[in-house]
Every structure is written in C-alpha cells, then in structure tokens.
Amino acid sequence: MTAVWSVDRKKFIDNAKQVKANQNLMAVVKNNAYNYGLEFSVKAFQEAGINTFSTTSLKEAVRIRKIAPEATIFLMNAVYDFETVRENEIHMTLPSLAYYYEHKEDLEGVHVHLEFENLLHRSGLRSLDEFKEVLKDHEQNKSDKKMIISGIWTHFGYADEFDVPEYEIEKEAWLNIVHSLLEEGYKFELIHAQNSAAFYRENQQLLPEHTHGRVGIALYGSRPYSKLSEKQIQQSLTVKGNVIQVRDVQKGEYCGYSFAYEVEQNHTKLAVVDVGYGDGVLRTRAKHEATINGKRYPIKALMMSHMFVAVDDSVTAEDEVILYNEDMRIDEYTFKGVGANSEQLSALNHDSLIKEIR
Ligand SMILES: Cc1ncc(COP(=O)(O)O)c(C=O)c1O
C-alpha cells in the first residue's frame, strides 16, 4: 500500500477544452506544469487544441521545444543565454529599458515581447513612453543584429482580488498602452495579459485586440476564485492514501508528536493513514477532513509519512483515504484558507507518491 497521485487524462483534456472555450490560449506550464508533469501536460494541452506555451525557466522552455517542435514557446523571465534562446526559437520577455540597451545586439534574431510592469512591479517597461522609446530605437537601428519584436504583454497582479479597485486600474492602464501603440500603427503577432482569473472575469473572452489568454491554474482543474461554479472547471486529480490500521485510543491520551492530538472520548477510533507532509500534504490542509468510503472524517494530526483520522466503526485497515478528488477539490480548501491552489499542487511529492495517469 502506497499513497497515490493520479490523473484522469481524458478529464484533464476535457477540462482544458472547456476552459479554452474556443479562444486562443497560451498554456502556462511553469514549475513542471504546476507539478502535473511537463511532458504529460504539453501533450494533453495539444490534444485540447493549445499549441502555445509559457514558462519562467529556460530549461523547461528547451524541454517544451523537444516535446512540441512546432509550438510557440514564450519565456516569461529574461535570461542571458541568448544562444540557447535563439537555437530553440524561444520567444522571450523584454524586461526593462536597461536590458534592451545592454543586450539589443545579443538579442539578434530572438523574438521578444515587450513587457509592461503595471502594478506588479516585478519586471517590464514602466510606461507608454518606454514602449515607444524601444520601438523607435528599434525602428531606427540599421544594424543587421536586431531582435524581432513579436509581442507585448503584461501580468495582472490583482486579477484574483475582488474587494479592491486595483484590477480595474491595471487593466485600464494596460489597455491604454495596447490601444495607443496600435493606433500609432505598430503591429504585434502576440498580445497577451490574462491569467485564469482575468480570463474568467471577462467570461472566458480575450480582452480587445488580444491574441491569447495566458492561463495556468484553470487548465489544471482549479477555480481561481470562489464565485465560479465547480462545473465550470473540473479537477482530474486524485490524491489518496490508505488506512494502515485502526487504533482504539482513550480520553486524555496524546497521539502524534508533541501532544499533537489530545483524545477527547474513550474508545475513539483513530485511523493511521500512510500519507503525510513528506508527500506534500500542506499542514493547513490537515485542519480539515479526509474522505473514507464516501464519508468525510476529521484529520487529527499530520506527520511526515502518516496522518491520524478520527473514524467510526465502519472504517477498517486497507480502506482508501481520499485527500483530493473531484468531490474534495483543491480549490475547496484554497477557499477555506489552506493556501493557493498552485501551492498545494506544487508541494505534492512525486518521488514518494505513486504517480498514475489513467
Ligand atoms: C506571468 C504569469 N502569467 C500567467 C500566470 C498564470 O496564472 P494562473 O495560474 O492564475 O492562471 C502566471 C502564474 O503565476 C504568471 O506568473
């Protein structure tokens, strides 16, 4: 008996199609495709009709090129290994004016997307004037060692926030840049800004003039915000362990390390389960329940390779213990404060869990 991480491949692809809703999407496959596996995800997204991918790591971008020779690949972090970027025909962000002036020759033949820093302030040009400065300098540059300006993009840092006006502010600032540049006659092959939340906030439509949504978490089956119904985004992932044994513990006894759980009643049945934080279950997740034989029971303590679940007489050794599945979704716990969807996904340990694609 070993705990299992498994994905229903058909369901994963069906969800990607439902999320895509016939729009052009750039699938965000960073961090090993949100820990679903780069190769699995890229191929599954291709089956769902997506052939544009983005990541933050050059190493992953090169791997994507091998998996998907014809795909458009966008690297969201600027790097300095220009040769590898060029050889693999990877599109890359232009992260600042200073980077442009320092590396405009190194970028010969590289497709760049000019980035707007917007309210996130993580990377990018600071203003419309900086966009125009790069575009004009590029136009006037008669050198044959030139980059290729293929796109413009930004990232909304507040798309997941509903109680503050920042999303509308950053959206307006960005649309102003897009419209101003297009009005001046500049043309871009790719224009992209929306993450999952921003895509759903526009009812799965692209913002005006945009060519792609740059979507991650929804493609992996989690809702970016709780106002969306579960039907709109389907989880194909199951994480489950097994009951190793059920122990009878008495009032006042402490179970687990360092007084983790004090038993409140005599003859409490405690299932010892073969999954723990070493497998990537977040500590905050252990404040909630696990499902055994279709019923939810409270988790009482989390250890590295085990957890205790308070059960009733119907639970016996070898019963399956569900931590996540279509009825016990990662996003349900995100909305209960366990941590971001991607935080739980990233933590799951594929070296200790058995990995199954069904
Ligand atoms: C720049 C950028 N674009 C898009 C995404 C995708 O966001 P989400 O997973 O919320 O769709 C991310 C994720 O962090 C990101 O950093």
Side-chain angles (χ1 to χ4, degrees):
M1 287 194 306
T2 309
V4 174
W5 175 105
S6 71
V7 170
D8 180 329
R9 186 170 195 273
K10 181 176 179 308
K11 216 168 162 186
F12 185 90
I13 294 170
D14 287 347
N15 176 62
K17 286 182 186 161
Q18 192 185 348
V19 171
K20 184 176 181 299
N22 291 324
Q23 303 285 347
N24 266 341
L25 291 190
M26 177 185 283
V28 180
V29 292
K30 64 183 187 167
N31 295 91
N32 200 27
Y34 289 47
N35 215 11
Y36 275 76
L38 201 53
E39 178 148 6
F40 162 74
S41 303
V42 166
K43 288 186 174 162
F45 290 146
Q46 283 186 310
E47 280 186 46
I50 298 171
N51 208 24
T52 306
F53 301 96
S54 65
T55 178
T56 44
S57 124
L58 179 57
K59 189 171 151 226
E60 283 190 338
V62 171
R63 277 185 61 207
I64 300 166
R65 174 56 70 228
K66 295 209 165 69
I67 300 163
E70 308 297 327
T72 301
I73 303 167
F74 175 60
L75 184 57
M76 299 188 278
N77 281 352
V79 294
Y80 301 85
D81 180 355
F82 302 100
E83 206 43 55
T84 304
V85 174
R86 219 177 346 260
E87 268 172 20
N88 288 279
E89 290 181 54
I90 292 163
H91 292 219
M92 189 176 74
T93 186
L94 187 89
S96 70
L97 203 55
Y99 182 95
Y100 171 67
Y101 284 122
E102 201 173 334
H103 297 293
K104 60 183 183 178
E105 293 202 349
D106 299 325
L107 287 164
E108 178 188 359
V110 173
H111 290 267
V112 299
H113 299 196
L114 310 189
E115 179 177 0
F116 178 43
E117 75 165 348
N118 223 332
L119 298 188
L120 189 60
H121 302 293
R122 185 165 70 186
S123 173
L125 302 168
R126 290 179 197 280
S127 61
L128 179 60
D129 285 345
E130 288 198 0
F131 272 80
K132 287 186 185 167
E133 184 172 336
V134 173
L135 288 160
K136 291 218 170 80
D137 186 85
H138 182 73
E139 258 173 14
Q140 287 160 9
N141 182 359
K142 298 293 168 233
S143 158
D144 47 0
K145 289 187 159 194
K146 283 177 71 171
M147 62 188 198
I148 304 156
I149 299 180
S150 295
I152 53 174
W153 75 293
T154 193
H155 185 43
F156 297 130
Y158 294 87
D160 302 47
E161 303 287 339
F162 283 84
D163 301 331
V164 291
E166 269 70 11
Y167 173 62
E168 294 304 327
I169 295 169
E170 61 187 353
K171 186 170 116 182
E172 200 185 317
W174 168 242
L175 290 178
N176 178 43
I177 293 205
V178 173
H179 291 139
S180 304
L181 295 177
L182 296 181
E183 263 170 30
E184 289 205 21
Y186 292 110
K187 291 198 168 50
F188 305 99
E189 209 183 299
L190 289 106
I191 303 179
H192 47 104
Q194 291 156 279
N195 65 354
S196 299
F199 185 56
Y200 276 87
R201 282 177 88 145
E202 307 298 327
N203 299 316
Q204 288 167 281
Q205 301 285 320
L206 297 180
L207 289 168
E209 318 294 350
H210 284 56
T211 64
H212 290 79
R214 205 180 51 254
V215 169
I217 197 64
L219 288 171
Y220 300 97
S222 294
R223 289 167 293 163
Y225 54 85
S226 60
K227 285 182 201 158
L228 296 170
S229 86
E230 290 194 355
K231 285 205 178 75
Q232 286 177 276
I233 298 174
Q234 315 265 347
Q235 180 174 310
S236 57
L237 173 69
T238 298
V239 178
K240 62 185 181 190
N242 311 275
V243 176
I244 302 171
Q245 55 174 307
V246 179
R247 302 187 68 85
D248 191 47
V249 290
Q250 312 307 323
K251 183 172 185 269
E253 286 181 337
Y254 288 100
C255 304
Y257 294 110
S258 307
F259 313 107
Y261 164 53
E262 183 182 355
V263 181
E264 287 137 29
Q265 279 180 356
N266 282 331
H267 299 297
T268 294
K269 301 272 177 267
L270 214 52
V272 184
V273 179
D274 63 352
V275 61
Y277 63 75
D279 302 295
V281 179
L282 298 181
R283 278 197 172 274
T284 42
R285 173 67 184 81
K287 296 197 170 99
H288 300 274
E289 329 81 2
T291 297
I292 307 174
N293 304 326
K295 186 172 165 191
R296 291 189 179 206
Y297 295 97
I299 300 170
K300 292 296 184 185
L302 183 72
M303 292 151 274
M304 185 174 180
S305 319
H306 302 95
M307 62 172 65
F308 289 141
V309 181
V311 294
D312 55 30
D313 287 335
S314 68
V315 173
T316 56
E318 297 188 86
D319 283 347
E320 272 185 5
V321 181
I322 309 282
L323 286 170
Y324 293 115
N325 71 358
E326 60 200 352
D327 300 318
M328 207 172 214
R329 297 167 53 128
I330 295 201
D331 52 23
E332 173 188 337
Y333 292 98
T334 294
F335 304 144
K336 288 179 176 165
V338 164
N341 292 311
S342 53
E343 192 178 339
Q344 176 59 92
L345 287 173
S346 305
L348 296 170
N349 183 348
H350 294 310
D351 287 328
S352 63
L353 295 163
I354 290 180
K355 193 169 176 177
E356 286 174 357
I357 310 279
R358 286 176 283 133

